Amino acid sequence: MAYVNFKDKHYHHPDEAMIHSTTVDLMYVKRDFPILYKPVHNQPLVYLDNAATTQKPQSVIKALYSYYTSKNANIHRGVHSLSEQSTLAYESAREKVRQFINARDAKEIVFVKGATEAINLVAQTFGKLAVKKGDEIIVSELEHHSNIVPWQILCEQNEAILRVIPMSDSGELQIEQLDAMLNERTKLLAVSHVSNAIGTINPIKRIIQKANQVGVPVLIDGAQATAHLGVDVQALDCDFYVFSGHKMYAPTGIGVLYAKKKILETMPPYQGGGDMITRVSFKSKTVYNQIPHKFEAGTPNIGGAIGLGAAIDYLSKFEMNQISAHENQLLEYATNALQQIPELQIIGTAEHKAGIISFVLDDIHPHDIGTILDQSGIAVRAGHHCAMPLMERLGINATTRVSFGLYNTFTDIDRLLSGLQNVLRIFKPN
Amino acid sequence: MNELSELYEEIILDHNKNPRYFNNIPEGSNRTAEGDNPLCGDHYTIHLTVENGIVEGVGFEGSGCAISKASASLMLESVLGKTEMEATELFKGLHGMLTGDRSHESDSVEFGKLEVLNGVCKYPMRIKCATLAWHVLNAALKNTEQAVTTE
């Protein structure tokens, strides 16, 4: 079987240095992720597409296996033992999420499919009620489509206006313009914590403060943040914070909407069905369940929630700032190395960035780069990264994007660099 | 590397670097169609001048990867001078070759240089890159037919 033998430690010095520089051995984290040992085109996999989705540690896979082999039953209904165990496991995952983002109350944690569903939920419940004709919603120029389109739909439904915080050439939000944009018609501000396309860490604390000063609720799209930065929703004081499990080492199909209790309680239901009601009648008014169940119609992704809980347990083995520091080192090393390639231009050079680098390489199309790198077992993302307005703003069609997770190493970056030399050999032979 | 050189053959790289009939609108252009691949953002517009059922002039505009651009360039080179029917047959034959649907296989279709596009078959994610321009061509050829029927 072809795989990297980590015991041999035949690695470049930065990785060796890292072994000694961190208390918990992040170098060996790779071992917790079985898929990273799967050869791709007969080469050890270098997975640099973590902003799209992360790989799953053995403990998360085990949690799913264990749930389906020993606990599976529907929740909040049965009186039998399995249903009780399943309910306990599901609700304990909710409590883990609460702790992870430091919410006040587990009732403020709504399980959804992912960040996209969470934003749609807020748009179609809170938004539909709060936003009237002529009102305004603010987003930013660097948003993922999932934090644009739900608001465009709402604006069309309610005849409201979508306003956009502009971005500088380096990929930083021009938040000094926010003061002039916020007014009595602004009903919500929705902005991402970290840009998925270019890695900018937005100054969300300042943005939230500005909005709160004039009483405007704020939704933070944390899809690219929760696996990489510590998140404390009480310290941030945002009204909504949304994220996806699969981008933080948990399974796909599970995500979280955090909303302040006082807001969640005023929101109408999103979908109707089982579990979101206390009483249904044709003769009298149907009574909805308490929060958060009111927003979880139908049998939820129980296994997924338990998997998310296991991913949080896994992340809790480390300090979040340790993970950030590790990914920062990778970012710095990769940025410096990529800048040595004269034909390469990094897109997005904000001062504060997470472990995401977008770049263009001469006139070589990112899809060709992606295919050639893949032949060397290197997985990257090529395209517009579901952020077409951002691409439009920068005047480019597509970029190649590498994004780091806690298991990436300096060796991975060295492999990327030699892969890019291969691309140049094919496309620019002279 | 070996497999890659089957995909990025010299002729593909050449047509990517120096696409034929690129940014060209042929004189008397009377058929235009555009198409895109929403998954990757590749976008092409194809212009044809069709006189008496013969493709007399060709040109294309747009942007995309090496495979899509080379495919468009090779395609226009090979349909120039052909009858509409021949061009349509070439589209069907090539589409069949790339997607594995051999229902339109015909001995009369000669691929010539276009055989080079066959290298994409080993890269399922890239087949749509190679077929994009061909779908646009097909739309351009059909467009006028539709216009004719509505009139």
Side-chain angles (χ1 to χ4, degrees):
Chain A
M1 201 167 80
Y3 62 84
V4 182
N5 188 347
F6 285 93
K7 283 178 191 158
D8 289 348
K9 284 197 190 175
H10 52 268
Y11 285 98
H12 295 243
H13 53 92
D15 281 344
E16 297 285 358
M18 196 166 70
I19 295 169
H20 303 295
S21 71
T22 53
T23 45
V24 175
D25 213 339
L26 276 169
M27 171 71 188
Y28 294 103
V29 158
K30 220 161 199 171
R31 287 175 174 168
D32 298 332
F33 293 78
I35 203 171
L36 298 177
Y37 291 85
K38 181 188 142 53
V40 170
H41 297 295
N42 294 319
Q43 313 230 31
L45 171 63
V46 170
Y47 189 76
L48 294 173
D49 196 15
N50 293 286
T53 197
T54 53
Q55 299 303 345
K56 319 307 171 197
Q58 188 70 53
S59 62
V60 167
I61 300 165
K62 249 184 173 162
L64 289 179
Y65 181 82
S66 147
Y67 169 69
Y68 286 114
T69 48
S70 66
K71 289 199 181 95
N72 179 53
N74 213 331
I75 53 165
H76 302 145
R77 296 171 174 75
V79 290
H80 56 80
S81 308
L82 287 183
S83 174
E84 191 190 332
Q85 285 179 43
S86 179
T87 304
L88 277 173
Y90 181 74
E91 290 305 327
S92 103
R94 198 191 305 276
E95 173 56 23
K96 286 175 188 177
V97 172
R98 183 202 69 73
Q99 283 181 27
F100 182 67
I101 60 169
N102 193 33
R104 254 180 224 100
D105 193 329
K107 289 190 177 106
E108 298 175 314
I109 307 299
V110 179
F111 282 125
V112 289
K113 281 195 294 188
T116 297
E117 187 177 42
I119 296 170
N120 278 281
L121 190 160
V122 174
Q124 291 304 316
T125 58
F126 171 84
K128 216 166 181 177
L129 219 59
V131 178
K132 306 275 191 294
K133 187 174 175 177
D135 281 347
E136 297 176 0
I137 297 168
I138 299 178
V139 295
S140 92
E141 207 160 31
L142 53 65
E143 298 307 311
H144 187 284
H145 295 163
S146 61
N147 201 24
I148 298 175
V149 184
W151 307 118
Q152 288 180 324
I153 292 172
L154 175 64
C155 284
E156 211 171 294
Q157 287 167 337
N158 288 16
E159 297 178 70
I161 298 151
L162 194 61
R163 302 193 61 188
V164 185
I165 309 169
M167 186 188 78
S168 72
D169 290 341
S170 65
E172 284 168 333
L173 291 184
Q174 295 173 325
I175 64 162
E176 65 280 3
Q177 302 213 16
L178 198 53
D179 297 319
M181 292 174 76
L182 288 161
N183 62 59
E184 69 285 353
R185 292 204 158 278
T186 315
K187 291 292 144 55
L188 185 81
L189 189 157
V191 69
S192 57
H193 196 162
V194 173
S195 155
N196 73 303
I198 55 174
T200 309
I201 302 176
N202 291 319
I204 56 165
K205 180 97 193 168
R206 274 166 61 209
I207 294 175
I208 295 164
Q209 275 168 356
K210 277 180 189 288
N212 284 355
Q213 273 164 18
V214 287
V216 171
V218 177
L219 178 144
I220 301 293
D221 172 2
Q224 297 296 339
T226 48
H228 313 285
L229 311 167
V231 173
D232 180 335
V233 291
Q234 289 190 64
L236 286 173
D237 201 24
C238 54
D239 299 272
F240 305 98
Y241 194 99
V242 307
F243 57 99
S244 297
H246 74 97
K247 293 190 199 285
M248 51 178 286
Y249 313 106
T252 51
I254 188 73
V256 171
L257 161 66
Y258 156 82
K260 280 182 184 165
K261 200 169 152 188
K262 63 175 197 311
I263 294 188
L264 210 50
E265 273 167 345
T266 64
M267 281 161 49
Y270 177 49
Q271 293 179 325
D275 220 27
M276 55 74 70
I277 45 77
T278 320
R279 214 179 66 158
V280 178
S281 168
F282 287 123
K283 290 177 181 159
S284 60
K285 201 171 153 38
T286 288
V287 183
Y288 304 133
N289 204 340
Q290 305 278 307
I291 62 163
H293 311 295
K294 180 180 171 183
F295 299 101
E296 294 179 2
T299 299
N301 185 354
I302 306 164
I306 291 166
L308 176 58
I312 290 171
D313 288 342
Y314 181 79
L315 284 170
S316 306
K317 297 203 306 188
F318 315 95
E319 298 285 335
M320 279 316 283
N321 59 18
Q322 192 188 3
I323 293 172
S324 306
H326 169 64
E327 291 171 0
N328 252 323
Q329 286 182 55
L330 294 172
L331 175 70
E332 205 173 303
Y333 180 70
T335 303
N336 286 335
L338 290 171
Q339 279 169 342
Q340 306 305 311
I341 304 173
E343 299 91 339
L344 188 143
Q345 189 199 346
I346 291 176
I347 305 296
T349 50
E351 195 185 336
H352 299 288
K353 278 180 73 171
I356 293 174
I357 307 175
S358 250
F359 63 85
V360 290
L361 185 61
D362 205 273
D363 59 351
I364 309 170
H365 196 281
H367 281 111
D368 297 311
I369 297 171
T371 293
I372 295 169
L373 291 177
D374 177 60
Q375 286 296 309
S376 306
I378 304 160
V380 299
R381 175 78 188 267
H384 52 58
H385 318 295
C386 299
M388 287 170 91
L390 178 144
M391 295 285 150
E392 204 173 23
R393 160 68 178 79
L394 296 172
I396 45 182
N397 290 321
T399 70
T400 304
R401 181 189 71 187
V402 296
S403 50
F404 308 124
L406 82 172
Y407 36 64
N408 286 121
T409 62
F410 291 96
T411 309
D412 291 342
I413 295 162
D414 293 342
R415 290 268 308 279
L416 168 73
L417 296 168
S418 89
L420 290 174
Q421 291 305 332
N422 196 19
V423 173
L424 287 169
R425 260 197 300 280
I426 292 173
F427 275 87
K428 307 278 160 188
N430 306 316
Chain B
M1 262 315 272
N2 258 353
E3 279 202 18
L4 271 175
S5 57
E6 276 174 45
L7 179 64
Y8 294 108
E9 289 219 41
E10 200 107 324
I11 183 166
I12 298 271
L13 293 172
D14 173 45
H15 276 260
N16 172 54
K17 206 172 170 187
N18 307 302
R20 322 296 196 259
Y21 313 106
F22 188 52
N23 287 333
N24 172 52
I25 300 178
E27 213 183 307
S29 165
N30 52 10
R31 312 253 181 121
T32 294
E34 55 180 317
D36 52 8
N37 183 346
L39 293 177
C40 58
D42 288 359
H43 182 100
Y44 290 103
T45 303
I46 284 174
H47 306 279
L48 303 175
T49 306
V50 181
E51 298 289 349
N52 304 320
I54 293 169
V55 181
E56 301 272 13
V58 295
F60 79 112
E61 300 165 290
S63 69
C65 64
I67 306 299
S68 63
K69 191 177 268 181
S71 181
S73 171
L74 284 158
M75 172 186 82
L76 293 184
E77 206 176 52
S78 61
V79 298
L80 184 64
K82 286 203 164 50
T83 65
E84 284 178 86
M85 201 182 280
E86 285 167 342
T88 303
E89 280 304 301
L90 198 58
F91 160 73
K92 286 178 181 169
L94 192 113
H95 191 260
M97 173 174 92
L98 297 182
T99 59
D101 171 13
R102 297 280 174 174
S103 57
H104 288 289
E105 203 163 24
S106 154
D107 293 339
S108 62
V109 179
E110 276 189 31
F111 292 121
K113 254 192 209 176
L114 295 171
E115 287 281 359
V116 73
L117 292 171
N118 211 3
V120 85
C121 290
K122 281 189 187 158
Y123 299 83
M125 306 294 285
R126 304 300 301 276
I127 289 172
K128 281 186 180 163
C129 306
T131 54
L132 173 61
W134 291 85
H135 283 290
V136 183
L137 170 78
N138 194 38
L141 289 167
K142 270 186 177 167
N143 229 7
T144 312
E145 277 171 27
Q146 282 169 355
V148 167
T149 51
T150 45
E151 282 169 11

